Amino acid sequence: MDFDDMLEELGELGRFQITTYTLVCLPVLFAAANSLTYVFTAGVPNYRCFIPGCDNPEYPKYNQSWLEWAIPDESRSHENMYKASQCDRYIRNLTVVNNTCFKDSFINKAERCNAWVYDENERTIVNDWNITCIENQWMLSLVGSSHFAGIIVGSALFGVLADRYGRKMIFIFCIVLMSISGVIQIFSPEYITFTTFVFINALGTAGIYPLAFIIGVEMVGRKKREVTGMILNYFYAIGEALVALIAWLARDWVLLQLSVSAPPILFVVYYWFVPESIRWLLAKEKNVQAKGIVCRVAKINKVKLSESLLDSFKEETQNAKASVEQMRDEVKILPVLKMMLKSRKLVIRFAIVFFIWAVNAFVFYGLSVNSTSMGGDKYLNFALVCLVEIPGYSLAWVCIQKFGRRPSLIGSLLICGLTCTVTVFVPLNVQWAIIVLFLIGKLGVTSAFGVVYVHTSEMLPTVIRSGGVGAASTMARVGALLAPFVPLLGVYVQPLPMLLFGGVAIVAGLLALKLPETLGIKLPESVEDAERI
């Protein structure tokens, strides 16, 4: 008996599934938080040059009344607000007595400094290891890229391991790896060690969301799969927003990292509370274990199992047949790929799809990182940019069913592209308008992400559907890998990051016009079917 048929007796989303699914979603909160802590741990606090003779060598204060005389103004706003330069200071007037801080103590000529005073209200790795000035900004961006490099490796590695050793054990292993490596980060003596553990932390983080998704989808019936996927996205968005709240409360990267990495170690108890995927057990012909879990589900859901369902666990022929069919499918994958590469139509189509995936991730994570560079409260901006993902995914869910896949994808990308571009032309003193446009842009790219998952899977032949979506997801990670470096462009030309996000999103939206509509079609079984879409 097929497990979907069993669920008709057990209940597609009963008390057991709801409880277990809630437990599985909780680690996703911490995985989401760990995935974006680098925005604040490697953030740039306010700092300025240390001024000998003016600053107290032991307890220097960031704000001083004499700063305008000693340090050049690098403010870019139109509000005439003074902002001390981070790496330049005025040369002392040698004709004036030392240890004085008056206007005449300095001449109007700047020099680079080699010591800094940091804002007392925030501590990041910049404070701890003096990663200052524009020539070192790449080191901060590299922290984010190291994270996404770990995501790429972890996604591929733990997906394979979960198929071989089970969803539950690999899920718990990923949580433990994320927790331990995240805590170890705070003991890093220098930058290289810290970045190495950021990579290891991302390895663990990479396995949590997809495995939670798989566990959730595999435990419910056909009609409830979309709901479980959507709820998991909501948990992820809330977890991202929690980073801003904790960072705002802590104002210290060590406390932030400890807060999001230490608690997940408690999820080790899931070994005794969360069951293995019944579908995986059946696929591996572990019928005795599967039967035990099914009986437990029935007891909690308060249903009585039929004799035919219980007898089905004695039959191994169906599972053996499924294994043979799976082996045959694996043999067929290579010929199908060769046939697709011979089709000019499909090569162009999936080149566009891969580009759209890369753009989605590039803009999605780029906007999250860039939100702290906008005017106003950076913690509030970051939280809003994360929480807007909830209506973004909801919008995608509604639109793909009502308007179709292609119009939804095109519209989402163009909305994102246009709003990102328009922010460049809004005066800096109209801050509320910039933030609103920024949020609409994030909503648009989030919606596009939700749509492209479904659209891609419906264009691929059955034999390579899973692998094809996986390959597209890898391209997305490559886009995400580049995202942390984009704010660095704003140091040279302030509007450049938003112009870049807007430009690539518009190009992706226009290219999506070449993709076929797949709403309501029969999923393609072969390359010929895919070409006919």
Side-chain angles (χ1 to χ4, degrees):
M1 182 182 288
D2 183 78
F3 186 62
D4 282 322
D5 296 328
M6 294 183 191
L7 284 170
E8 291 183 9
E9 283 192 37
L10 292 169
E12 290 196 70
L13 190 60
R15 183 184 299 176
F16 177 88
Q17 288 100 321
I18 291 172
T19 303
T20 305
Y21 184 69
T22 303
L23 291 175
V24 168
C25 285
L26 292 178
V28 172
L29 287 172
F30 292 95
N34 273 270
S35 71
L36 285 175
T37 52
Y38 73 88
V39 174
F40 294 102
T41 59
V44 180
N46 290 324
Y47 65 87
R48 62 168 176 82
C49 288
F50 177 86
I51 308 299
C54 297
D55 279 311
N56 183 323
E58 294 184 4
Y59 302 105
K61 297 291 184 181
Y62 176 76
N63 290 310
Q64 297 286 358
S65 58
W66 40 260
L67 289 182
E68 293 186 45
W69 306 329
I71 300 176
D73 180 12
E74 67 170 20
S75 173
R76 297 182 181 181
S77 71
H78 299 309
E79 300 174 5
N80 296 320
M81 296 286 291
Y82 171 80
K83 183 179 179 182
S85 173
Q86 293 180 324
C87 298
D88 293 314
R89 65 187 179 196
Y90 288 126
I91 297 174
R92 272 198 169 275
N93 188 344
L94 298 179
T95 63
V96 178
V97 179
N98 286 337
N99 297 324
T100 58
C101 287
F102 300 106
K103 191 171 184 179
D104 294 337
S105 303
F106 305 91
I107 61 176
N108 192 26
K109 186 176 180 182
E111 65 178 356
R112 298 290 275 182
C113 58
N114 56 11
W116 294 269
V117 177
Y118 298 95
D119 191 335
E120 303 84 8
N121 295 320
E122 186 177 7
R123 175 192 174 195
T124 74
I125 63 171
V126 172
N127 308 52
D128 288 9
W129 301 316
N130 284 333
I131 308 174
T132 54
C133 303
I134 193 170
E135 60 267 23
N136 291 317
Q137 286 284 85
W138 65 270
M139 296 173 70
L140 302 178
S141 299
L142 187 61
V143 173
S145 295
S146 297
H147 169 81
F148 287 112
I151 294 290
I152 292 174
V153 177
S155 297
L157 175 64
F158 292 120
V160 173
L161 292 178
D163 284 337
R164 183 169 182 178
Y165 297 107
R167 282 68 163 116
K168 171 182 167 180
M169 294 306 299
I170 301 302
F171 182 60
I172 294 172
F173 176 80
C174 287
I175 294 171
V176 172
L177 179 63
M178 177 188 76
S179 180
I180 293 175
S181 59
V183 170
I184 291 176
Q185 284 181 44
I186 70 176
F187 299 105
S188 302
E190 34 69 40
Y191 172 81
I192 294 176
T193 303
F194 172 81
T195 308
T196 301
F197 279 104
V198 166
F199 176 84
I200 296 171
N201 177 257
L203 288 177
T205 303
I208 295 173
Y209 176 89
L211 287 176
F213 180 83
I214 290 170
I215 292 170
V217 165
E218 291 186 342
M219 74 168 68
V220 301
R222 297 183 184 96
K223 298 176 183 177
K224 304 298 182 181
R225 290 174 191 167
E226 289 183 354
V227 175
T228 57
M230 192 62 61
I231 290 173
L232 198 66
N233 287 329
Y234 294 164
F235 270 86
Y236 199 87
I238 293 169
E240 290 176 325
L242 282 175
V243 174
L245 176 62
I246 298 170
W248 175 70
L249 292 171
R251 306 295 177 107
D252 187 319
W253 77 269
V254 170
L255 293 177
L256 169 62
Q257 194 62 46
L258 195 62
S259 299
V260 301
S261 296
I265 197 67
L266 298 176
F267 293 124
V268 170
V269 300
Y270 278 13
Y271 180 82
W272 294 277
F273 291 103
V274 174
E276 182 55 87
S277 166
I278 298 173
R279 293 181 193 270
W280 181 82
L281 290 171
L282 292 172
K284 295 295 182 179
E285 300 184 31
K286 299 185 178 184
N287 289 12
V288 175
Q289 290 176 250
K291 182 179 179 180
I293 297 172
V294 166
C295 291
R296 181 180 163 196
V297 175
K299 182 178 179 180
I300 295 175
N301 286 356
K302 296 182 179 179
V303 298
K304 186 175 181 179
L305 299 176
S306 65
E307 289 299 324
S308 60
L309 188 151
L310 294 173
D311 289 341
S312 67
F313 289 102
K314 299 175 183 177
E315 301 172 4
E316 298 184 1
T317 54
Q318 183 177 345
N319 290 322
K321 183 179 178 182
S323 298
V324 172
E325 290 298 323
Q326 185 178 3
M327 289 176 65
R328 288 177 181 172
D329 285 345
E330 289 173 355
V331 174
K332 292 177 183 177
I333 289 175
L334 190 57
V336 169
L337 284 174
K338 288 181 178 179
M339 288 179 66
M340 286 190 67
L341 292 174
K342 290 179 181 178
S343 170
R344 183 173 178 270
K345 180 180 180 180
L346 293 182
V347 168
I348 293 173
R349 178 184 297 174
F350 288 105
I352 293 172
V353 168
F354 280 16
F355 177 75
I356 291 172
W357 275 78
V359 166
N360 272 348
F362 176 70
V363 178
F364 182 91
Y365 288 105
L367 290 177
S368 295
V369 175
N370 213 56
S371 64
T372 59
S373 302
M374 293 192 298
D377 190 299
K378 66 180 181 181
Y379 302 101
L380 178 61
N381 292 344
F382 184 85
L384 291 174
V385 165
C386 294
L387 291 175
V388 81
E389 293 173 22
I390 294 176
Y393 284 121
S394 302
L395 178 67
W397 190 19
V398 172
C399 287
I400 61 175
Q401 298 176 70
K402 189 170 184 179
F403 304 111
R405 281 53 163 153
R406 186 175 71 168
S408 300
L409 182 60
I410 295 168
S412 298
L413 287 167
L414 291 181
I415 287 171
C416 172
L418 292 172
T419 51
C420 287
T421 304
V422 170
T423 57
V424 175
F425 303 101
V426 178
L428 292 175
N429 57 351
V430 191
Q431 198 60 230
W432 66 268
I434 294 175
I435 293 173
V436 169
L437 289 169
F438 198 95
L439 291 175
I440 295 173
K442 182 62 183 292
L443 182 144
V445 75
T446 303
S447 176
F449 234 141
V451 174
V452 79
Y453 263 98
V454 178
H455 200 192
T456 302
S457 67
E458 292 178 341
M459 288 186 285
L460 286 161
T462 299
V463 175
I464 61 167
R465 186 168 294 125
S466 178
V469 172
S473 181
T474 301
M475 286 301 299
R477 305 302 183 187
V478 173
L481 198 69
L482 301 174
F485 282 93
V486 177
L488 185 58
L489 300 176
V491 175
Y492 300 96
V493 182
Q494 191 175 13
L496 200 53
M498 296 307 292
L499 283 175
L500 183 58
F501 293 142
V504 295
I506 290 172
V507 171
L510 295 175
L511 287 174
L513 289 166
K514 300 290 290 180
L515 299 178
E517 178 54 68
T518 57
L519 176 63
I521 69 163
K522 182 182 178 182
L523 293 181
E525 297 291 339
S526 64
V527 174
E528 292 79 7
D529 291 341
E531 284 185 305
R532 283 194 290 266
I533 299 176

